[in-house]
Amino acid sequence: MTAWTEIDWADVLGAAVLEVARSGPVGAGNERRLHRGLREASPTGGVTKALDTEGRLQDQASQWTRSPGGIDVVSIRSAGDGARALGVECKVGKPDEVLWDAIKLGQRCDEEPWNRGLEAAALVVEFTDKELCERRAVRWFDAAVTQVDTIEAIERWPEAWYGVLCGGRGIRPTSLPRTLKLGSGGHVRHPGGGSALCWRLVRASPVGADINRIGVDTHGWPPQVSVPDEWRRQIDSAAEKAPERPTMALRPRRVLDKPPDKTIAEVVGDAEGRVWADAWDNRETVPTSFRLSETDPTRYDVRRSKNDALACANPPERIPAWCSREVAEALARSGIGDPPQ
């Protein structure tokens, strides 16, 4: 892994998993508890810092039809030329979804600082003994397995790939890495037995540097895998049920050289004459942006995430608490309407 002279992410994650596993299994449907436990585990004495919420990479939609979502847990260390990060995707059970997460994170490992890339990526999965022995799944946590052939994994369990393509509601890869390399890992049995918390580092060739990626069809399937036409219809049907997303030209946004010492905000206009509030927290260089309501500037009707994902708010919603004061001050300086309370 890159730049591990200052910190070994395997040591960091292994210690965090050990601490979390001692509390016992979180159980199905409680992935947020697993996220929180990993964020709160602090085995490095302050050398690393976990984001309070999911993390977002710039250009996270690269090689996807839309952004595949945020990264469950991100831990950051300081470096001379910018922060470096470990990204972790978590699952409770669901062995059929692990390949998707491994691709999503593994191909973003490169030399770039956070939040343009990841220094390391990992999977953390809580499995029952039965789930861990699923014969069709990749043996992600078997130390003897050090490389995964992506196409072979899809061919072995096509129903699993079909399930995540439907679940993505229109989010599909536009190409795939040929292989995934598995690094350090381990598993910790929960008290009482019957389940374990497993972890494994994973990486692939970076999306921008891999000329041997595998193309996929419009439904997300590599040409080597034949699937029923009904599956394709169901994938299309699931995409049609995706939440409404606004379409608009994206204006350039200011990107800071480094995260600010505290949350800041500024108010800017777009080409259509609409007013936006851009807000940065003390962990990010790319802002979260809110298009202010034309009738009530204390609320927003479109939210643009750090990774450029857009979400409508209908009816308009209040500016979130983490940046409301800073947006209020920016509005006051601009003289536009009454600032949020």
Side-chain angles (χ1 to χ4, degrees), residues 215-237:
V216 297
D217 62 25
T218 57
H219 293 92
W221 292 97
Q224 298 90 331
V225 182
S226 298
V227 297
D229 289 341
E230 179 59 23
W231 283 15
R232 299 181 185 278
R233 286 192 289 269
Q234 290 300 324
I235 291 169
D236 285 336
S237 177

Side-chain angles (χ1 to χ4, degrees), residues 247-252 270-272 276 304 310:
T247 57
M248 61 180 66
L250 298 180
R251 61 178 174 84
D270 64 16
E272 298 177 352
W276 291 74
R304 179 180 171 188
L310 298 171

Side-chain angles (χ1 to χ4, degrees), residues 22 36 166 172 250 258 318:
R22 286 171 175 162
R36 185 169 62 250
C166 287
R172 306 164 189 168
L250 298 180
K258 61 180 182 179
R318 284 197 174 277

Side-chain angles (χ1 to χ4, degrees), residues 88-340:
V88 181
E89 284 292 301
C90 302
K91 285 284 181 286
V92 177
K94 305 177 184 177
D96 53 326
E97 297 182 8
V98 178
L99 176 62
W100 178 280
D101 287 345
I103 293 169
K104 169 185 167 181
L105 286 192
Q107 64 187 7
R108 296 311 301 265
C109 291
D110 53 31
E111 303 289 340
E112 295 286 346
W114 173 258
N115 57 358
R116 296 197 297 272
L118 297 170
E119 184 171 39
L123 306 168
V124 173
V125 185
E126 179 178 295
F127 275 147
T128 63
D129 292 346
K130 181 179 180 180
E131 290 165 338
L132 195 57
C133 294
E134 169 56 62
R135 62 178 180 81
R136 295 170 295 176
V138 172
R139 301 199 310 276
W140 296 104
F141 307 104
D142 183 343
V145 179
T146 59
Q147 183 167 290
V148 174
D149 183 300
T150 306
I151 304 307
E152 183 180 297
I154 294 174
E155 287 179 316
R156 180 191 299 179
W157 199 359
E159 295 87 353
W161 194 244
Y162 166 65
V164 292
L165 290 172
C166 287
R169 295 190 174 188
I171 300 174
R172 306 164 189 168
T174 56
S175 68
L176 296 168
R178 289 187 177 274
T179 57
L180 296 162
K181 296 180 180 179
L182 305 184
S184 300
H187 68 277
V188 182
R189 302 289 297 176
H190 291 121
S195 62
L197 190 59
C198 308
W199 66 277
R200 194 79 187 266
L201 296 183
V202 59
R203 70 185 297 126
S205 296
V207 291
D210 188 355
I211 61 174
N212 295 312
R213 293 180 66 85
I214 299 167
V216 297
D217 62 25
T218 57
H219 293 92
W221 292 97
Q224 298 90 331
V225 182
S226 298
V227 297
D229 289 341
E230 179 59 23
W231 283 15
R232 299 181 185 278
R233 286 192 289 269
Q234 290 300 324
I235 291 169
D236 285 336
S237 177
E240 292 171 358
K241 298 175 183 177
E244 178 188 359
R245 287 176 171 83
T247 57
M248 61 180 66
L250 298 180
R251 61 178 174 84
R253 293 192 289 185
R254 186 160 69 98
V255 178
L256 306 180
D257 293 332
K258 61 180 182 179
D261 293 332
K262 61 180 181 179
T263 301
I264 61 173
E266 66 184 20
V267 173
V268 296
D270 64 16
E272 298 177 352
R274 295 296 300 273
V275 177
W276 291 74
D278 289 350
W280 295 260
D281 64 22
N282 62 358
R283 302 178 301 272
E284 304 289 354
T285 58
V286 179
T288 299
S289 304
F290 306 91
R291 191 177 73 176
L292 304 183
S293 168
E294 293 182 289
T295 58
D296 181 357
T298 71
R299 297 175 180 271
Y300 69 92
D301 56 16
V302 174
R303 180 182 186 272
R304 179 180 171 188
S305 298
K306 300 176 183 70
N307 69 337
D308 288 334
L310 298 171
C312 289
N314 186 18
E317 299 178 3
R318 284 197 174 277
I319 303 295
W322 69 267
C323 64
S324 60
R325 184 181 67 180
E326 290 74 18
V327 171
E329 293 171 351
L331 278 169
R333 291 193 299 269
S334 71
I336 300 174
D338 296 321

Side-chain angles (χ1 to χ4, degrees), residues 17-28:
V17 168
L18 177 61
E19 182 176 329
V20 172
R22 286 171 175 162
S23 299
V26 300

